[in-house]
């Protein structure tokens, strides 16, 4: 069995859905289970809808039209999505009436993107002679906590394999990515880009031979091709490198994707739906490329720098424990940390809980929060063995007059991460990419 996950652009047009059918048909012998995202742009449109509904102005028109047009173009029954689109209209109306979009209602609203796309893809496969069945991940046993908007899965006890086995009696399963359900049956989402994570979770639960992530680029690239010129695909990476890359902003994979694959040593392959013959990237449990310490340069915009200055920190036991207890209490994910005798600087990428964290730290010393920063990270397992990579990184940034605010290189040395001004981001990432891949 293999998982074939198709992202939004891979199912964004009738032509790309026809491509997807061909790709799946060609791999019929490998027993594919398909995971799909919403059509490209639909999740963004739903987020917009949810944000505007409480203010009274919610226009469902473009979303409905997009799906109806897709049905027409694929020659599928025009009323196929009427039940779902009807529910979506009711929910939107409800949000308008109560003037509220709670995180729980927002996840329910977002779920319609994947629920619609899975139905369209399954119906199209069936109409073209390959019987398929749409499967809602939340009905197929994918359970999560109730952290709406960024839910985390809870351990599976065989429910998923049983549900998918049953679905396979009817046809090839086309599962909704991005979605799960909490213990009360509420639909949750796994965070933006979460369909990659879904693919890995189903891959793990079904013990597949390979998890394939089909997207719109030729694999995991040496940097984000939208920001950097001259990027190229990385043929092979290790789980360790790919997790660091995903965590530090390599948007091609949701940050948590590698973990479920790693637990069962399942290779992850990243491929281009629009150029299926290009070899893509394979991510393996262990891999090293001698003499190539740096494998990719990734970045993450929208970083907040939190600095706490506290002279009493000097030689005080348990100080850092108190700082991180406050972070845990306010659900702030701290990415990087740098400390000195009297200060600690941390980064976080979500602003929504920062105020509470800031207030809590206020009791420990003087706090400042600076926004408008970005993280740049140089990833590669060989960084550990090669002396001087950090010097090359800092030298290159200095040459391009990029001011570095925080530096972090762990003892495991799979990466070197830096915080810079967001205004310098494109210059910094391009310069580093030229330095290591030019
Ligand atoms: P999908 O809809 O298939 O999930 P995404 O847009 O989520 O696709 O992810 C693919 C995009 O990730 C690419 O189009 C590219 O712009 C971006 N990206 C960022 N960093 C990288 C990288 N290192 N390698 C490949 N793509 C990257
Ligand atoms: N549709 C969701 C999003 O746009 C999940 C995904 O595409 O992976 O974030
Ligand atoms: Mg994605």
């Amino acid at each position: 069995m293999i998982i074939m996950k198709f992202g939004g652009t891979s199912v964004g047009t009738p032509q790309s859905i026809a491509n997807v059918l061909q790709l799946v048909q060609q791999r019929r012998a490998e027993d594919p289970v398909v995971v799909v995202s919403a059509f490209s742009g639909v999740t963004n449109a739903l987020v917009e809808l949810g944000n505007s509904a409480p203010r009274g102005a919610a226009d469902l028109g473009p979303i409905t039209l997009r799906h109806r047009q897709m049905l027409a173009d694929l020659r599928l029954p025009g009323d196929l999505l009427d039940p779902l689109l009807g529910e979506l209209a009711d929910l939107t109306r409800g949000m308008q009436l109560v003037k509220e979009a709670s995180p729980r209602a927002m996840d329910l609203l977002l779920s319609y993107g994947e629920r619609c796309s899975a139905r369209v893809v399954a119906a199209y496969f069936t109409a073209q002679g390959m019987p398929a069945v749409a499967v809602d991940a939340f009905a197929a046993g994918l359970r999560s906590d109730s952290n709406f908007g960024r839910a985390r899965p809870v351990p599976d006890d065989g429910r998923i394999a049983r549900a998918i086995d049953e679905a396979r009696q009817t046809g090839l399963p086309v599962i909704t990515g991005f979605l799960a359900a909490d213990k009360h049956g509420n639909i949750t989402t796994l965070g933006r880009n979460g369909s990659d994570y879904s693919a890995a979770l189903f891959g793990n639960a079904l013990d597949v031979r390979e998890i394939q992530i089909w997207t719109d680029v030729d694999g995991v690239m040496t940097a984000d091709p939208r920001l950097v010129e001259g990027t190229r695909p990385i043929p092979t990476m290790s789980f360790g490198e790919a997790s660091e890359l995903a965590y530090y902003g390599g948007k091609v994979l949701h940050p948590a994707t590698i973990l479920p694959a790693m637990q069962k040593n399942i290779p992850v392959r990243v491929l281009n739906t629009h150029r299926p013959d290009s070899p893509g990237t394979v991510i393996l449990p262990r891999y090293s490329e001698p003499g190539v310490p740096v494998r990719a340069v990734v970045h993450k915009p929208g970083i907040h720098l939190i600095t706490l200055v506290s002279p009493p920190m000097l030689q005080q036991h348990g100080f850092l424990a108190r700082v991180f207890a406050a972070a845990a209490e306010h659900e702030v994910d701290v990415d990087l940390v740098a400390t000195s005798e009297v200060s600690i600087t941390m980064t976080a990428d979500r602003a929504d809980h920062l105020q509470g964290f800031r207030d809590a730290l206020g009791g420990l010393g003087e706090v400042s929060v600076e926004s408008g920063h970005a993280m740049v990270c140089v990833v590669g397992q060989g960084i550990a063995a090669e002396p001087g990579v950090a010097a090359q990184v800092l030298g290159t940034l200095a040459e391009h007059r990029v001011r570095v605010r925080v530096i972090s290189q762990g003892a495991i040395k799979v990466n070197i991460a830096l915080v810079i001004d967001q205004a310098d981001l494109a210059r910094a990432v391009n310069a580093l990419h030229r330095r290591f891949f030019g």
Side-chain angles (χ1 to χ4, degrees), residues 74-427:
L74 294 173
R75 299 187 203 299
L76 293 171
D79 59 357
L80 180 78
L81 297 174
D82 283 2
L84 284 178
L85 293 173
E87 281 175 40
L88 177 60
D90 289 346
L91 176 61
T92 309
R93 183 77 192 120
M95 285 171 148
Q96 279 177 315
L97 288 173
V98 298
K99 297 186 169 49
E100 188 183 292
S102 68
R104 182 174 72 156
M106 202 64 185
D107 271 7
L108 178 59
L109 187 80
L110 296 190
S111 74
Y112 288 93
E114 270 70 10
R115 288 157 81 185
C116 286
S117 69
R119 278 158 183 80
V120 170
V121 170
Y124 179 70
F125 283 9
T126 306
Q128 298 296 312
M130 188 168 65
V133 53
V135 176
D136 289 321
F138 49 85
L142 186 57
R143 300 253 173 86
S144 74
D145 61 19
S146 305
N147 201 350
F148 298 104
R150 45 175 358 209
R152 286 295 157 257
V154 299
D156 170 52
D157 58 5
R159 297 182 300 273
I160 294 178
R162 287 194 295 277
I164 299 301
D165 259 357
E166 197 187 312
R168 281 151 62 90
Q169 312 296 317
T170 317
L172 187 149
V174 178
I175 307 174
T176 57
F178 190 40
L179 310 178
D182 71 4
K183 63 175 184 227
H184 308 293
N186 297 306
I187 294 179
T188 58
T189 65
L190 304 175
R192 293 305 305 270
N193 238 338
S195 301
D196 303 324
Y197 193 20
S198 307
L201 291 167
F202 278 97
N204 175 307
L206 300 174
D207 263 317
V208 299
R209 182 184 66 72
E210 184 168 284
I211 296 161
Q212 300 182 348
I213 306 289
W214 290 85
T215 182
D216 62 349
V217 281
D218 280 345
V220 179
M221 312 290 283
T222 47
D224 185 348
R226 284 184 215 170
L227 188 70
V228 178
E229 273 180 42
T231 58
R232 45 180 195 260
I234 306 167
T236 314
M237 306 182 85
S238 67
F239 279 162
E241 288 172 333
S243 333
E244 296 286 338
L245 176 135
Y247 185 74
Y248 285 104
K251 224 201 104 203
V252 64
L253 294 173
H254 177 282
T257 309
I258 299 300
L259 206 66
M262 194 143 60
Q263 283 169 350
K264 293 217 169 146
N265 277 332
I266 304 170
V268 177
R269 201 178 285 274
V270 182
L271 295 152
N272 190 340
T273 306
H274 315 292
R275 291 175 11 115
D277 294 330
S278 60
T281 298
V282 61
I283 304 166
L284 299 171
R286 270 166 301 280
Y287 176 79
S288 66
E289 195 153 312
V292 187
V294 174
R295 312 297 310 289
V297 180
V298 295
H299 69 274
K300 198 153 138 182
I303 298 292
H304 308 278
L305 266 188
I306 306 144
T307 302
L308 170 64
V309 179
S310 178
M313 179 177 164
L314 202 67
Q315 295 183 349
Q316 224 189 90
H317 297 296
F319 186 84
L320 290 180
R322 268 178 272 154
V323 171
F324 289 114
E329 188 192 333
H330 294 278
E331 295 179 18
V332 171
D333 290 332
V334 172
D335 290 324
L336 295 188
V337 185
T339 60
S340 78
E341 281 277 281
V342 294
S343 75
I344 169 166
T345 299
M346 297 159 279
T347 66
D349 62 358
R350 286 173 78 216
D352 47 352
H353 291 115
L354 277 187
Q355 190 55 48
F357 184 43
R358 181 189 190 138
D359 294 344
L361 291 182
L364 299 174
E366 199 181 308
V367 192
S368 68
V369 176
E370 299 168 72
S371 302
H373 288 80
M375 188 139 64
V376 175
C377 182
V378 170
V379 178
Q381 219 146 251
I383 293 174
E386 176 105 352
V389 177
Q392 291 171 42
V393 169
L394 292 174
T396 304
L397 294 178
E399 234 172 76
H400 289 81
R401 312 206 61 72
V402 175
R403 191 163 74 109
V404 175
R405 297 292 308 277
V406 183
I407 305 171
S408 150
Q409 174 176 327
I412 305 178
K413 290 200 210 165
V414 181
N415 70 57
I416 298 170
L418 308 134
V419 178
I420 61 172
D421 268 354
Q422 189 150 310
D424 294 335
L425 182 61
R427 187 154 39 95

